[in-house]
Amino acid sequence: NAGVMQNPRHLVRRRGQEARLRCSPMKGHSHVYWYRQLPEEGLKFMVYLQKENIIDESGMPKERFSAEFPKEGPSILRIQQVVRGDSAAYFCASSSTATRNTIYFGEGSWLTVV
Amino acid sequence: DQQVKQNSPSLSVQEGRISILNCDYTNSMFDYFLWYKKYPAEGPTFLISISSIKDKNEDGRFTVFLNKSAKHLSLHIVPSQPGDSAVYFCAASGGSTGGGADGLTFGKGTHLIIQP
């Protein structure tokens, strides 16, 4: 299965800890997106990255959240000093230039902050 | 400011009948529209898309209609099957071409329930 791979699927963190979510895009895809889905809400765009570059981070909270997509390895969404309001499903998606704006999602990472 | 709106949080349809899911948008720069289907605890799955140069796109049981003047699109599923029960998200993008520099703007979703 060469789909978008996310891990961990489920993550529990105490308030104040750090959460790291990983995403490996589909084979041949060089564009990565992170979306967040809060309970009872739709999917909210967070950030769009290409290798070693953040293209659009207009949806990222100004503090505690960061994302990277290094030359080697998966994309990482990092949340520092987590709070209860960070509890959500975080979805990674990827696309290639050939697929234009059709992005393909991973299974998601469910973060629970206790 | 919601640029993509799905005004029906849920829709119940009898098996075998037609399901019609609606979506409205406000941004006239949007030129590419997609529908995704999502089951609980899974990621969204791409279903069908349409470019603004078209007004209809069909793929098997799924047809998407676009009315640019009304800034409205709809997804028709016929005949509806039990496995179609899921949340359906409408999404839109606009501006540049290429690998998705715009990202996608999603609606809040419509929960479709197919009744036997």
Side-chain angles (χ1 to χ4, degrees), chain B residues 11 17 30-31 35-36 43 48-49 52 64 81 83 85 91 99 104:
Chain B
L11 175 68
R17 307 293 285 267
F30 287 147
D31 63 358
W35 285 94
Y36 285 82
I48 192 169
S49 63
S52 60
V64 55
Q81 299 174 354
S85 294
L104 292 176

Side-chain angles (χ1 to χ4, degrees), chain A residues 9-10 31 33 35 37 40-45 48 50 55-56 91 95-108 110, chain B residues 2 31-32 34 36 38 40-46 49 89 93-109:
Chain A
R9 289 296 312 278
H10 298 276
H31 308 266
Y33 312 79
Y35 283 79
Q37 185 178 23
E40 308 302 323
E41 293 287 324
L43 292 155
K44 300 289 187 187
F45 168 76
Y48 161 43
Q50 294 181 21
I55 308 301
D56 180 355
F91 292 98
S95 72
S96 69
T97 304
T99 62
R100 200 188 182 263
N101 283 337
T102 302
I103 64 175
Y104 297 89
F105 284 86
E107 294 289 287
W110 269 258
Chain B
Q2 254 195 295
D31 63 358
Y32 192 65
L34 308 90
Y36 285 82
K38 186 181 180 303
E42 293 186 12
T45 303
F46 169 71
S49 63
F89 290 99
S93 72
S96 65
T97 57
D102 315 296
L104 292 176
T105 301
F106 282 83
K108 288 194 174 184

Side-chain angles (χ1 to χ4, degrees), chain A residues 15-68:
Chain A
R15 280 179 294 171
Q17 290 184 319
E18 179 179 288
R20 284 193 182 216
L21 309 176
R22 294 173 195 78
C23 169
S24 296
M26 279 179 76
K27 190 175 181 181
H29 286 189
S30 58
H31 308 266
V32 166
Y33 312 79
W34 286 94
Y35 283 79
R36 175 166 66 171
Q37 185 178 23
L38 294 166
E40 308 302 323
E41 293 287 324
L43 292 155
K44 300 289 187 187
F45 168 76
M46 298 181 76
V47 62
Y48 161 43
L49 312 103
Q50 294 181 21
K51 285 283 186 183
E52 300 185 281
N53 281 307
I54 297 174
I55 308 301
D56 180 355
E57 55 181 347
S58 58
M60 287 279 270
K62 295 284 184 269
E63 297 175 348
R64 302 187 298 107
F65 284 72
S66 62
E68 62 177 10

Side-chain angles (χ1 to χ4, degrees), chain B residues 2-102:
Chain B
Q2 254 195 295
Q3 297 188 71
V4 177
K5 298 177 186 178
Q6 294 177 257
N7 291 320
S8 299
S10 67
L11 175 68
S12 186
V13 174
Q14 209 164 10
E15 182 179 355
R17 307 293 285 267
I18 183 170
S19 296
I20 301 176
L21 297 117
N22 293 302
C23 178
D24 297 292
Y25 61 96
T26 58
N27 189 339
S28 57
M29 295 297 292
F30 287 147
D31 63 358
Y32 192 65
F33 305 89
L34 308 90
W35 285 94
Y36 285 82
K37 174 181 177 180
K38 186 181 180 303
Y39 293 119
E42 293 186 12
T45 303
F46 169 71
L47 210 51
I48 192 169
S49 63
I50 187 167
S51 165
S52 60
I53 61 172
K54 292 186 174 183
D55 54 19
K56 177 182 174 182
N57 188 26
E58 194 171 350
D59 184 3
R61 296 186 299 114
F62 302 92
T63 303
V64 55
F65 294 92
L66 175 63
N67 182 334
K68 287 187 290 294
S69 60
K71 294 193 178 71
H72 176 83
L73 65 154
S74 60
L75 174 68
H76 293 213
I77 307 172
V78 55
S80 300
Q81 299 174 354
D84 296 330
S85 294
V87 177
Y88 290 79
F89 290 99
C90 171
S93 72
S96 65
T97 57
D102 315 296

